[in-house]
Amino acid sequence: MNDCIFCKIVRGELPSFNVYENEKVLAFLDIHPVNPGHTLVIPKKHSPNIFEVLPEDWASVTETARMLAGVLEKTLSAKGVNLMMNNREHAGQLVEPTHVHIIPRFTDDT
Ligand code: DGP
């Protein structure tokens, strides 16, 4: 067991609003959303960042992000979607585990 905040979410020890999951990934709403529907996709197996995530886990994360980008855009009537990832503190990574942001975009949201 580790104290990683997102691992606690995967284990159900912290609350989350889950959007999607399969055996390899979990997607849940960001606690500080930039826009409605701001979603994080993480591999269930802990890794710190893009440099250390297992290739098969990364493949599942990106395929899930691709799928959810379309689902979120359609269901929220968004005008577009940003996918974003921060790796290491200097690049803006605030929470250690590997995660990809999906941010729906709306008219006049800049
Ligand atoms: P970053 O490391 O800068 O790519 O962003 C981390 C994101 O994680 C930030 O947008 C807020 C989100 N976050 C941090 N703690 C929690 C949490 O406990 N639950 C959820 N749902 N999101 C969190």
Side-chain angles (χ1 to χ4, degrees):
M1 295 289 178
N2 63 46
D3 287 334
C4 162
I5 197 165
F6 288 174
C7 288
K8 287 185 175 179
I9 287 176
V10 170
R11 295 197 297 264
E13 296 168 9
L14 284 177
S16 61
F17 191 101
N18 295 349
V19 173
Y20 173 82
E21 77 176 300
N22 63 29
E23 65 179 22
K24 285 197 174 297
V25 306
L26 177 65
F28 53 96
L29 294 182
D30 193 295
I31 205 169
H32 298 306
V34 171
N35 272 343
H38 182 167
T39 297
L40 303 175
V41 185
I42 65 169
K44 287 183 174 176
K45 182 176 172 57
H46 178 91
S47 66
N49 52 45
I50 189 68
F51 307 108
E52 295 179 56
V53 65
L54 293 174
E56 59 267 33
D57 288 341
W58 178 242
S60 294
V61 167
T62 56
E63 171 51 23
T64 298
R66 186 199 65 80
M67 180 271 292
L68 287 179
V71 170
L72 290 168
E73 184 184 62
K74 187 170 183 184
T75 58
L76 298 174
S77 298
K79 300 295 183 190
V81 175
N82 290 122
L83 296 188
M84 189 187 78
M85 183 181 198
N86 301 318
N87 291 283
R88 302 203 201 283
E89 189 177 353
H90 191 76
Q93 186 176 6
L94 300 175
V95 178
E96 186 192 74
T98 304
H99 57 280
V100 170
H101 296 254
I102 308 173
I103 304 174
R105 300 301 302 267
F106 301 92
T107 306
D108 297 330
D109 68 355
T110 52

